[in-house]
Amino acid sequence: MTEPVSAELPGRRTTRQRSALVALLDELDGFRSAQDLHALLRERGDSVGLATVYRALQALVDDGQLDVLRGSDGEAAYRRCSPVHHHHLVCRSCGRTVEVTDPPVERWASKMAAEHGFSEVQHQVEVFGTCAECTAAARS
Amino acid sequence: MTEPVSAELPGRRTTRQRSALVALLDELDGFRSAQDLHALLRERGDSVGLATVYRALQALVDDGQLDVLRGSDGEAAYRRCSPVHHHHLVCRSCGRTVEVTDPPVERWASKMAAEHGFSEVQHQVEVFGTCAECTAAARS
DNA sequence: TTGTTCATGAGAACCATTATCCACAGCAGA
DNA sequence: TCTGCTGTGGATAATGGTTCTCATGAACAA
């Protein structure tokens, strides 16, 4: 009751492992699986346990600092994202991601849900394609 | 070369197990997991192996007769769907599903992708909420 | 009916994710 | 500085959905 409730991350400590993970995510610009991130950390010498990677990712998601996406194989992929509501345009081939926003889509989702009596609505809009570079590379 | 290539399901046999699965899917109107479907088949006496359920579901998806959805836990859910392109409005609580279409969203996705140089675009739009009945039930 | 070939089913294998256990680190108060 | 509390890390086991293996059985064409 006496703790500063307004603090962003109450009772969350800053450790070498979490810093390394956040730094890595800042460098990457596409969605990466937890397994990938764990392997990348090991490669660069920042040895971190797999369970720790999962815990840290989950914590960051809870804090709204990461976005999660489920691929067609069910594996979760993570990415550092802006805190405002947005959707993604993801390259199937290289994983590069563009954040996009579109108020009309938001309105459409709310309207459609209301028309059918649905409440507490969330929507999920992701666009997958092949980016210009990968298309060019595939042609060579 | 001599087979009827135009046949809907070339080289796919009709078996008791597949018929039972399709019949079950026709009766249900929400997304169900493979595990659920397997349990339901057992309950009604149509004993079918779990592996068979997965194989049959995969085959139906390949033939475009089923839609797949990945829940937040990564579990796949299946549903009998109309063959034309559409999206879903899914009740988080009871799983009931409404199929919706919206050409503007389709156009928006294509336009957005083109602006960023993406090609071979697919999009995924799902809206989750709580349907009127479940909202009412929760209030009681 | 017969032969070929695909489908089935039980269980093992697989793999991402989560839980468990215990040692350790950071911080607060004595 | 010492001590105790609590969150964290790491290794590993457990979990659970999905896929694979392979011997057996069923569908279909001739």
Side-chain angles (χ1 to χ4, degrees):
Chain A
M1 293 300 177
T2 53
E3 305 112 336
V5 179
S6 62
E8 181 107 340
L9 310 175
R12 191 151 288 165
R13 296 178 186 169
T14 304
T15 63
R16 174 183 66 79
Q17 291 85 345
R18 298 198 179 192
S19 303
L21 181 60
V22 170
L24 175 61
L25 284 163
D26 277 334
E27 290 175 27
L28 304 171
D29 71 340
F31 279 88
R32 301 300 182 109
S33 71
Q35 306 279 343
D36 270 355
L37 293 168
H38 176 241
L40 287 169
L41 285 173
R42 296 233 129 161
E43 273 179 26
R44 61 161 63 184
D46 284 322
S47 181
V48 176
L50 181 57
T52 301
V53 172
Y54 276 101
R55 272 187 295 240
L57 287 172
Q58 195 53 58
L60 288 166
V61 170
D62 290 344
D63 293 339
Q65 298 185 47
L66 285 188
D67 273 5
V68 199
L69 219 57
R70 291 265 171 190
S72 57
D73 59 351
E75 194 176 3
Y78 302 84
R79 178 175 188 268
R80 200 83 201 270
C81 274
S82 69
V84 303
H85 181 78
H86 61 270
H87 300 293
H88 299 105
L89 179 55
V90 184
C91 176
R92 246 190 302 268
S93 175
C94 68
R96 184 179 348 180
T97 305
V98 181
E99 295 187 3
V100 294
T101 62
D102 185 55
V105 169
E106 321 294 325
R107 279 200 298 275
W108 167 78
S110 304
K111 177 163 151 282
M112 190 66 66
E115 279 176 10
H116 291 90
F118 280 58
S119 55
E120 298 173 65
V121 177
Q122 287 181 322
H123 60 278
Q124 168 188 338
V125 179
E126 309 298 342
V127 184
F128 297 91
T130 307
C131 75
E133 287 182 19
C134 287
T135 303
R139 247 190 226 118
S140 62
Chain B
M1 295 296 180
T2 53
E3 305 110 334
V5 178
S6 62
E8 182 106 337
L9 311 176
R12 192 150 289 168
R13 295 178 184 171
T14 305
T15 64
R16 174 184 65 78
Q17 290 87 343
R18 299 199 176 192
S19 302
L21 180 60
V22 170
L24 175 61
L25 284 163
D26 278 333
E27 289 175 27
L28 304 171
D29 70 341
F31 279 88
R32 302 301 182 111
S33 70
Q35 307 278 344
D36 270 355
L37 294 167
H38 177 240
L40 287 169
L41 285 173
R42 297 233 129 159
E43 272 179 27
R44 62 161 62 185
D46 283 322
S47 182
V48 176
L50 182 56
T52 302
V53 172
Y54 276 101
R55 273 188 294 244
L57 287 172
Q58 194 53 58
L60 288 166
V61 170
D62 290 344
D63 294 338
Q65 298 185 48
L66 285 188
D67 272 5
V68 199
L69 221 55
R70 291 264 170 188
S72 57
D73 59 350
E75 193 176 6
Y78 302 83
R79 179 175 187 268
R80 199 83 201 267
C81 275
S82 68
V84 302
H85 181 78
H86 61 272
H87 301 292
H88 300 105
L89 179 55
V90 184
C91 176
R92 246 190 301 268
S93 175
C94 68
R96 184 178 349 176
T97 303
V98 180
E99 296 188 2
V100 294
T101 61
D102 184 54
V105 169
E106 320 295 325
R107 279 198 298 275
W108 166 78
S110 304
K111 178 163 148 283
M112 192 65 67
E115 279 176 11
H116 290 91
F118 280 59
S119 55
E120 299 173 65
V121 178
Q122 287 182 322
H123 61 277
Q124 168 188 340
V125 178
E126 310 298 343
V127 183
F128 297 91
T130 307
C131 74
E133 287 183 19
C134 287
T135 303
R139 247 191 226 117
S140 63

